[in-house]
Amino acid sequence: MKREIKFRAYSSHNHKMYPVSNIEWDIDDHIWVTADDGKNGIELIDEEAHLMPYTGLHDKNGREIYEGDIVKNEYGKVMDVNYDPRSAAFGVGDYYFGTIGSGKILEVIGNIFENPELLEGKQ
C-alpha cells in the first residue's frame, strides 16, 4: 500500500493556510517551508509555519483530512485530529482512524488555527 506524504502549513504571520512544496532545515536547525500561494512560492520559518501532515484519509465528502483539522462525527461530536506518537497513529478524541472507519464517518468542518471557536463548544 502506497501512502501519499504531504503537508500543509498555516502561517501565523499571514493568517493563511498553504499547501507545502518543500521543507528544509538549515545548519542552525531552523525549519524553512516553501509554500504555494497560488502565484509564487513563499518561505515560512520556524514558529511562523505550523506544519500539518496529511493523514492519507478523506472525510465523508472526499475532503483530505490533515492533523489539526476539526471534524464532526455522525453523532455531531466535534473533535480535532491529532497524532499519537505512542501508537504511531492519527486519531480523534479517544479513537484511532483504524477503529473509526478510516474517516468515512467524519466531516471536516474547520481547523485549529482558522476555527478554534469550533472546539470551545465541543459536544
Side-chain angles (χ1 to χ4, degrees), residues 43-75:
E43 298 235 334
L44 307 172
I45 186 169
D46 290 338
E47 293 84 27
E48 181 186 345
H50 302 277
L51 288 173
M52 290 164 272
Y54 173 50
T55 64
L57 303 171
H58 294 84
D59 75 355
K60 68 180 188 176
N61 299 315
R63 187 171 174 183
E64 294 177 340
I65 301 174
Y66 285 82
E67 181 177 15
D69 277 339
I70 298 172
V71 296
K72 183 170 33 171
N73 71 9
E74 74 271 28
Y75 305 110

Side-chain angles (χ1 to χ4, degrees), residues 3 24 26-28 30-31 38 45 55 60-61 65 83 85 96 104 106-107 119:
R3 180 171 166 234
E24 295 180 20
D26 66 17
I27 196 163
D28 296 321
H30 293 286
I31 298 174
I45 186 169
T55 64
K60 68 180 188 176
N61 299 315
I65 301 174
Y83 179 77
Y96 299 108
K104 298 298 182 199
L106 301 175
E107 180 179 16
L119 291 174

Side-chain angles (χ1 to χ4, degrees), residues 13 27 60 75 79 95 102 114 119-120 122:
H13 177 73
I27 196 163
K60 68 180 188 176
Y75 305 110
M79 302 166 279
Y95 302 98
S102 298
E114 296 173 315
L119 291 174
E120 290 173 7
K122 287 201 299 189

